[in-house]
Amino acid sequence: MFGRMSTTLCHRTTVFRRASTPCFQRNRCSWTIVPRSVGSGSDTSNVDGSKPRKIPPVKRITRDDVTIQFARSSGAGGQNVNKVNTKVDMRLNLTVDWLDEEVADAVRRMQKKRINKDGELVIMSQRTRSQLGNIEDALEKVQEILDDAHRTTLPIEEDPEKKKQIEKQLKKGNETRLKKKQLKGDKKKERRSGKNIKDW
């Protein structure tokens, strides 16, 4: 009846579980449906019932937090390109104390092609014709990468953007369902009206 089932005994309660379906819990002689979130990992609490550790936002990084090297830029820019080292090679060590390990792991997953053999995040910038402009541009890129990585570590209910996106998807799905229901109802009405005409 339940396919593959795992049975867990706890205080006279037997729980039958099947993948991707609700859980059926039997207590004595009565059956009740237990929400799938029970024991499925959707609860944000830890196993011991405590709340998960809250990861602090990433600080605003500065030149002191990164290693910077310069090289000659390529492309448009006139003779200034051939005389001044304006291209920026910026590197961030992901093992620094101020960067949370979970955020660092997220950066490694999301930016695999920008991580060198030493485990550093490498960002290049030659957007402007000046060193200062390219440094600012590279710092902004690093900051954006760190902030994006931090957002992936937040629970859904704590991330307004994720929550808003899910709500939008649910609303769209509900509207689609109602439209299909309306079309189905209209077809039934057409069939009934056509049948009544034939009866006449």
Side-chain angles (χ1 to χ4, degrees):
M1 178 179 177
F2 296 101
R4 294 183 178 177
M5 297 180 291
S6 63
T7 307
T8 305
L9 296 178
C10 180
H11 301 295
R12 299 181 183 177
T13 300
T14 305
V15 178
F16 296 90
R17 214 170 264 176
R18 185 179 181 182
S20 302
T21 59
C23 300
F24 294 88
Q25 176 173 306
R26 184 177 66 186
N27 193 350
R28 295 179 181 176
C29 296
S30 61
W31 286 90
T32 58
I33 297 178
V34 181
R36 189 166 46 186
S37 61
V38 176
S40 63
S42 61
D43 189 1
T44 57
S45 299
N46 293 326
V47 177
D48 58 0
S50 62
K51 289 295 182 180
R53 180 177 64 89
K54 190 172 183 179
I55 300 175
V58 179
K59 72 168 190 172
R60 189 71 186 176
I61 62 172
T62 64
R63 294 181 62 169
D64 296 332
D65 300 315
V66 296
T67 302
I68 301 176
Q69 295 178 348
F70 300 100
R72 292 184 181 180
S73 298
S74 60
Q79 294 183 357
N80 183 64
V81 174
N82 300 323
K83 295 179 180 179
V84 183
N85 294 333
T86 57
K87 181 179 179 179
V88 169
D89 180 336
M90 184 173 292
R91 306 187 179 202
L92 172 66
N93 184 359
L94 297 178
T95 61
V96 290
D97 295 336
W98 53 264
L99 185 62
D100 190 278
E101 184 60 31
E102 290 190 37
V103 177
D105 288 341
V107 173
R108 295 185 185 100
R109 291 193 305 269
M110 298 167 64
Q111 303 291 333
K112 292 181 180 179
K113 294 183 179 180
R114 289 179 170 175
I115 305 298
N116 63 13
K117 61 181 181 180
D118 296 323
E120 298 172 320
L121 174 66
V122 181
I123 297 295
M124 312 287 286
S125 178
Q126 52 182 349
R127 184 177 180 182
T128 70
R129 298 183 184 182
S130 67
Q131 287 185 354
L132 183 60
N134 289 332
I135 288 173
E136 293 299 324
D137 180 59
L139 284 173
E140 287 297 327
K141 290 179 179 178
V142 174
Q143 188 72 53
E144 184 178 355
I145 289 173
L146 295 180
D147 290 340
D148 289 343
H150 175 263
R151 276 192 287 270
T152 64
T153 65
L154 297 176
I156 293 177
E157 62 270 19
E158 291 187 17
D159 187 347
E161 294 184 5
K162 285 185 180 180
K163 186 176 180 181
K164 186 177 180 180
Q165 184 178 8
I166 290 175
E167 289 176 351
K168 185 177 180 181
Q169 291 174 351
L170 290 174
K171 183 179 179 181
K172 185 176 180 180
N174 190 44
E175 290 176 351
T176 303
R177 180 182 62 82
L178 292 175
K179 286 181 180 179
K180 288 182 179 180
K181 188 175 181 181
Q182 182 66 37
L183 289 173
K184 191 174 182 180
D186 292 342
K187 287 182 180 180
K188 286 184 178 180
K189 289 181 181 179
E190 290 178 0
R191 291 195 199 101
R192 290 172 183 171
S193 59
K195 186 177 180 180
N196 292 336
I197 292 173
K198 288 181 180 179
D199 292 342
W200 282 96

